[in-house]
């Protein structure tokens, strides 16, 4: 009887030892496999994220951070060059320079345009006295006129500019004045074919659409009017002072009215 009990006890011990050995082996296997799989998964996810970042153009190690381009639109008072539709007045027909300068000056001064006709007439008279004419004043002559009316350094003239120069100036919070061939703007609100000698204010930029926001005095719909970058830049030109004296499509200049002087 004692031998049977001893044999039975030894058998139980052996069976338990085998079971323990099997369970321990399986435990090690179970622990080992998930770790390898986890490492593989993490490595795959890392490669996946890197691939996505490269596709999206995110800056990689050793590169400068990407420049974030934002929507900019300055609050520039608007005036049409012929208030009340007074296009028969010669001062209004060729009054885009006066209207553009009035808008720019009021933005710098932080003021509104209260009496459009009176204020435009004053600018036309001042321009005629200083330049000898108010008709189709060139970029350089218009610049020499307006800088005498503003604080020194408020406005600067930039010649031979590129579209990127315009964007940079706008994104810095400034506003611009540009002379253009209005016929190349294809503005549906212009009386066809549009003004060949024209000036407008550029007040903002929308990176989502690639459009400049303007105050175009050539139409009552010109406040905040949008032009595609290639259209506006392609239309830029300069012209000689005087009534239709001649154009220079190769000359692309802009006046920059500086934000730091604007009293907003």
């Amino acid at each position: 009887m004692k031998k049977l009990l001893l044999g039975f006890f030894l058998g139980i011990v052996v069976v338990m030892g085998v079971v323990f050995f099997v369970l321990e082996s399986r435990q090690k296997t179970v622990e080992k496999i998930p770790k390898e799989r986890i490492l593989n998964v993490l490595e795959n996810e890392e490669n996946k994220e890197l691939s996505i970042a490269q596709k999206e153009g995110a800056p990689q190690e050793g590169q400068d951070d990407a420049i974030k381009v934002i929507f900019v639109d300055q609050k520039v008072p608007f005036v049409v060059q012929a208030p009340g539709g007074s296009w028969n007045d010669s001062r209004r027909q060729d009054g885009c320079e006066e209207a553009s300068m009035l808008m720019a000056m009021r933005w710098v001064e932080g003021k509104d345009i209260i009496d459009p006709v009176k204020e435009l007439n004053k600018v036309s008279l001042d321009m005629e006295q200083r330049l000898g004419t108010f008709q189709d004043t060139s970029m350089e002559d218009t610049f020499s006129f307006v800088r005498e009316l503003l604080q020194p350094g408020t406005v600067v003239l930039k010649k031979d500019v590129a579209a990127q120069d315009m964007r940079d100036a706008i994104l810095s919070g400034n506003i611009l004045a540009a002379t253009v061939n209005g016929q190349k703007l294809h503005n549906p609100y212009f009386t066809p074919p549009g003004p060949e000698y024209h000036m407008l204010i550029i007040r903002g930029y929308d990176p989502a659409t690639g459009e400049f926001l303007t105050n175009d005095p050539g139409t009552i719909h010109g406040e905040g009017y949008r032009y595609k970058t290639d259209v506006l830049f392609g239309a830029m030109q300069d012209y000689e002072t005087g009534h239709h004296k001649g154009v220079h499509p190769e000359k692309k200049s802009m006046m920059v009215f500086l934000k730091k002087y604007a009293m907003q």
Side-chain angles (χ1 to χ4, degrees):
M1 187 67 178
K2 289 183 180 181
K3 290 182 178 180
L4 285 174
L5 290 173
L6 181 60
F8 179 74
F9 177 75
L10 290 174
I12 292 175
V13 171
V14 171
V15 171
M16 291 181 64
V18 172
V19 170
F20 178 78
F21 176 78
V22 171
L23 289 175
E24 185 178 13
S25 298
R26 291 187 63 183
Q27 174 91 11
K28 291 179 180 180
T29 304
V30 170
E31 289 178 353
K32 182 178 180 181
I33 293 175
K35 287 181 180 178
E36 292 177 347
R37 289 178 180 173
I38 290 172
L39 290 175
N40 290 333
V41 169
L42 290 176
E43 185 177 358
N44 291 336
E45 288 299 318
E46 183 179 357
N47 292 334
K48 182 179 178 181
E49 290 178 3
L50 178 60
S51 176
I52 292 173
Q54 290 171 339
K55 289 180 181 179
E56 293 179 349
Q60 304 300 317
E61 185 177 355
Q63 296 180 348
D64 294 333
D65 292 340
I67 298 174
K68 185 177 181 181
V69 180
I70 60 174
F71 178 87
V72 176
D73 187 18
Q74 298 293 332
K75 295 180 180 179
V76 181
F78 175 74
V79 65
V80 64
Q81 68 188 66
S86 54
W87 292 101
N88 291 329
D89 187 334
S90 61
R91 293 172 298 179
R92 305 288 77 85
Q93 292 177 6
D94 299 300
C96 57
E97 294 90 359
E98 294 94 306
S100 294
M101 292 304 97
L102 180 58
M103 289 187 281
M105 288 189 294
R106 292 296 179 266
W107 177 76
V108 169
E109 296 164 347
K111 299 178 180 178
D112 290 326
I113 298 172
I114 307 301
D115 189 334
V117 175
K118 182 178 179 179
E119 293 178 56
L120 283 172
N121 286 345
K122 185 178 187 309
V123 176
S124 294
L125 180 61
D126 288 345
M127 189 173 284
E128 188 171 19
Q129 291 176 343
R130 294 172 185 267
L131 301 178
T133 183
F134 59 81
Q135 293 178 308
D136 303 332
T137 55
S138 69
M139 176 65 78
E140 193 157 353
D141 283 343
T142 308
F143 168 68
S144 68
F145 164 74
V146 73
R147 71 177 175 179
E148 293 181 12
L149 302 178
L150 294 172
Q151 182 179 343
T154 302
V155 56
V156 295
L157 177 63
K158 300 288 186 179
K159 299 181 179 181
D160 301 319
V161 301
Q164 187 60 50
D165 298 322
M166 299 165 63
R167 282 191 290 265
D168 290 344
I170 288 294
L171 294 174
S172 295
N174 309 306
I175 66 170
L176 316 176
T179 47
V180 300
N181 182 339
Q183 296 177 2
K184 293 184 178 181
L185 294 176
H186 306 294
N187 190 315
Y189 297 109
F190 288 164
T191 300
E196 186 178 7
Y197 300 75
H198 193 47
M199 180 179 281
L200 49 72
I201 293 296
I202 305 170
R203 71 184 217 181
Y205 181 70
D206 186 348
T209 61
E211 294 172 322
F212 283 105
L213 285 72
T214 71
N215 271 7
D216 190 329
T219 167
I220 59 174
H221 304 284
E223 185 173 10
Y225 196 89
R226 291 167 172 255
Y227 289 111
K228 287 288 187 181
T229 296
D230 58 343
V231 172
L232 182 59
F233 184 74
M236 286 176 64
Q237 64 175 13
D238 200 358
Y239 41 78
E240 297 177 24
T241 297
H243 187 61
H244 295 187
K245 292 292 186 180
V247 297
H248 300 282
E250 75 284 359
K251 293 183 178 181
K252 297 183 182 295
S253 305
M254 64 182 183
M255 273 183 271
V256 183
F257 293 83
L258 303 177
K259 176 185 179 182
K260 65 180 180 178
Y261 290 102
M263 302 181 66
Q264 299 187 49

